[in-house]
């Protein structure tokens, strides 16, 4: 008689969570890994609300499940970061989650530490994640670029306006002499 192996309900649930994590990683522009220690329920709720307002999601998963998800995606760099209690901020853009978690590490007085990040299908160590937090957002960069492009056009319009008003003054002076 053949023995049929059945997967336990627990194993099936874990596989479902790993697939959920994989989908969140794939659909996010960035994932920031933070180590947390002694956060109160109120602080976690406040942090989740801040993340939601910024278009991010703050989640806590078992490290083994996150490690398995990253490994299935072909990334083993996170294995060393997933040692202590961790939370994960999934960002809709490249910088917002890093900015939020960096700010939270200051606000919550060392209860949160940014460990690493995952951006553009690449591992970012702690220093790179901090640099990411300090980087202007895409919207800020576009606004700066448009402002710098607009300045020469505005200056050119001013020069033309001055040139035209100068011509009008000269013509007005000639007309008054005659």
């Amino acid at each position: 008689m053949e023995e049929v192996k059945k997967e336990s309900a627990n194993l099936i649930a874990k596989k479902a969570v790993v697939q959920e994590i994989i989908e969140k990683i794939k659909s996010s522009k960035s994932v920031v890994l933070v180590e947390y220690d002694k956060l109160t329920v109120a602080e976690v709720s406040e942090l989740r609300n801040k993340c939601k307002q910024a278009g991010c999601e703050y989640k806590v998963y078992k490290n083994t499940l996150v490690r398995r998800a990253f490994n299935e995606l072909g990334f083993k760099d996170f294995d060393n970061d997933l040692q202590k209690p961790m939370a994960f901020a999934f960002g809709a853009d490249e910088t917002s989650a890093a900015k939020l978690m960096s700010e939270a590490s200051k606000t919550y007085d060392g209860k949160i530490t940014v460990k690493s990040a995952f951006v553009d299908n690449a591992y970012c160590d702690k220093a790179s994640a901090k640099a990411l937090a300090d980087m202007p957002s895409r919207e800020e960069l576009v606004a700066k670029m448009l402002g710098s492009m607009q300045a020469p056009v505005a200056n050119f319009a001013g020069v033309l306006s001055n040139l035209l008003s100068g011509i009008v003054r000269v013509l007005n002076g000639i007309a008054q002499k005659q």
Side-chain angles (χ1 to χ4, degrees), residues 162-178:
N162 288 338
L163 183 63
L164 288 175
S165 63
I167 291 172
V168 169
R169 280 194 303 273
V170 169
L171 290 175
N172 192 23
I174 292 172
Q176 286 181 357
K177 283 185 181 179
Q178 294 175 350

Side-chain angles (χ1 to χ4, degrees), residues 4 6 10 21 49 57 80 88 99 110 126 141 157 162 169 173 177:
V4 178
K6 290 186 178 180
N10 189 27
I21 296 168
N49 288 335
E57 185 178 8
N80 291 332
F88 310 90
K99 285 178 187 292
K126 188 174 187 171
L141 290 173
N162 288 338
R169 280 194 303 273
K177 283 185 181 179

